[in-house]
Amino acid sequence: MVVELVLLGAECPEERAFAGSIGAAAGGELFARVVTGAMFDAGAGRCQVTAIPPDADANMLLTAVKEAVERDSRLLVVYLGGQFTWDVRRRRPVLVTAGSGRDNAHGRGLAWDWVVSALAHGAGAARGESLLVVDAVVGAEAWASAAFDAVGVRLWGRLQPYAPPRWGRSGSAGAVTGVGAVTATAGGFSALLDQAVRQGLPGQPAVLDPAALHSTLEARDTPGSRWLGPPAASRLLLRNRAVLRGVLRETSGEQPYGSD
C-alpha cells in the first residue's frame, strides 16, 4: 500500500454548544476526494481510505489511528475534524463526540494528546511518513492554550475559533441561529484545499506539497484562523493543474488571446 488516509470526522449534532462539529464528516470526505484525485505518484487506485462514522465514540476513533499506525504504507494521513472543547482538570483539548453534553464532553471525547501519542509512537516505522491534518473549530479555552503547538508529530491544518450561540436550536441541516451564534464549522480547510487544487497555482511547481500550498490557503482564508504547520518535505504530493493546463496549451499549439 502506498498511501493510507484515515478520516476522523466527529460530529455532535445533539448539543447546540457543539454545532461547530457539524460538517466534519463531509470535510473528511472532501479531503479524501481532493487527495486521491490529485495524488502525484499514487492515485485513487493506490490509496486506502478508511472513514470512521461521524457518530463513533472516542475508543473507535483512537483504535482506527492505532491500527493504521501498525500497517505498512509509504504515507499515512490522519484527517481529524470536528470541534475541540477544553478538559479543565487535565488541561488538554478534547474532540467532542456524538452524544456529548457540556458537562461530560471532556470525558466522552477524543483527547488531542491521545492522537498525537499514537502517531508519535508509530514514527520511524517501515511505513514512512505520518501526517496529522487538523480541520476543526475550537472553543475559547482550548483556543487560548498552546497545546496545538510543537506537538512532536508532522502536522498541517487549520483551527478556527468558535463560540456557541446564546440561544437557538439546531435545524434539520444542523444550522444554529441566535444572538451571538458563530457560523464557523469544521471542514473549512478541506474547502480551501479543494479550491486551490481544482484551480491550480500558477507560478508554483508542477508538484505541490503542503509547504507549497500553505501560504496560498492561508492567504485565501478568513481572518482569525490559526494555521498549523506545514511540515517540510512531505510525501503528500499533489499535481498542480495550472502547470498541466499550460503544458497542454503548448502541446496543442493554442495561441493566447489577442495574438495573430
Side-chain angles (χ1 to χ4, degrees):
M1 185 58 60
V2 175
V3 176
E4 181 164 6
L5 307 181
V6 177
L7 311 178
L8 309 180
E11 299 186 2
C12 183
E14 306 89 351
E15 171 56 67
R16 71 169 182 250
F18 302 141
S21 66
I22 298 170
E29 292 172 0
L30 178 58
F31 178 82
R33 288 198 300 271
V34 173
V35 170
T36 57
M39 187 71 70
F40 174 70
D41 57 354
R46 300 179 67 189
C47 293
Q48 174 68 43
V49 180
T50 303
I52 308 304
D55 60 352
D57 62 22
N59 286 333
M60 292 177 62
L61 296 170
L62 184 60
T63 296
V65 177
K66 290 181 175 180
E67 290 179 346
V69 166
E70 296 299 321
R71 295 191 287 268
D72 290 339
S73 61
R74 185 179 64 85
L75 170 64
L76 167 63
V77 180
V78 175
Y79 174 95
L80 187 64
Q83 179 173 342
F84 283 101
T85 189
W86 185 248
D87 182 344
V88 176
R89 186 166 69 87
R90 298 178 180 85
R91 302 190 59 79
R92 63 186 183 186
V94 176
L95 192 76
V96 301
T97 54
S100 297
R102 295 173 188 245
D103 59 340
N104 64 2
H106 61 281
R108 293 176 59 100
L110 177 65
W112 166 255
D113 54 347
W114 294 351
V115 179
V116 170
S117 177
L119 289 173
H121 287 154
R127 175 190 60 257
E129 179 185 356
S130 294
L131 176 62
L132 178 58
V133 174
V134 183
D135 189 358
V137 299
V138 184
E141 290 181 280
W143 180 264
S145 78
F148 298 104
D149 304 323
V151 295
V153 296
R154 296 175 68 82
L155 183 66
W156 189 34
R158 170 188 184 264
L159 299 172
Q160 194 166 23
Y162 180 84
R166 290 201 294 268
W167 59 270
R169 62 179 182 179
S170 298
S172 59
V176 175
T177 59
V179 177
V182 175
T183 57
T185 57
F189 173 86
S190 292
L192 289 165
L193 180 64
D194 176 51
Q195 181 188 55
V197 171
R198 282 191 292 107
Q199 294 176 348
L201 302 185
Q204 291 288 339
V207 180
L208 301 170
D209 65 359
L213 285 159
H214 188 86
S215 60
T216 296
L217 300 184
E218 187 173 12
R220 293 179 178 180
D221 196 9
T222 55
S225 298
R226 181 190 302 180
W227 283 78
L228 307 173
S234 174
R235 297 187 183 190
L236 180 61
L237 303 175
L238 306 178
R239 294 188 297 273
N240 186 353
R241 293 178 180 174
V243 174
L244 178 60
R245 285 192 293 269
V247 171
L248 291 176
R249 282 196 296 269
E250 293 176 3
T251 303
S252 64
E254 178 183 333
Q255 296 298 314
Y257 291 111
S259 62
D260 294 329

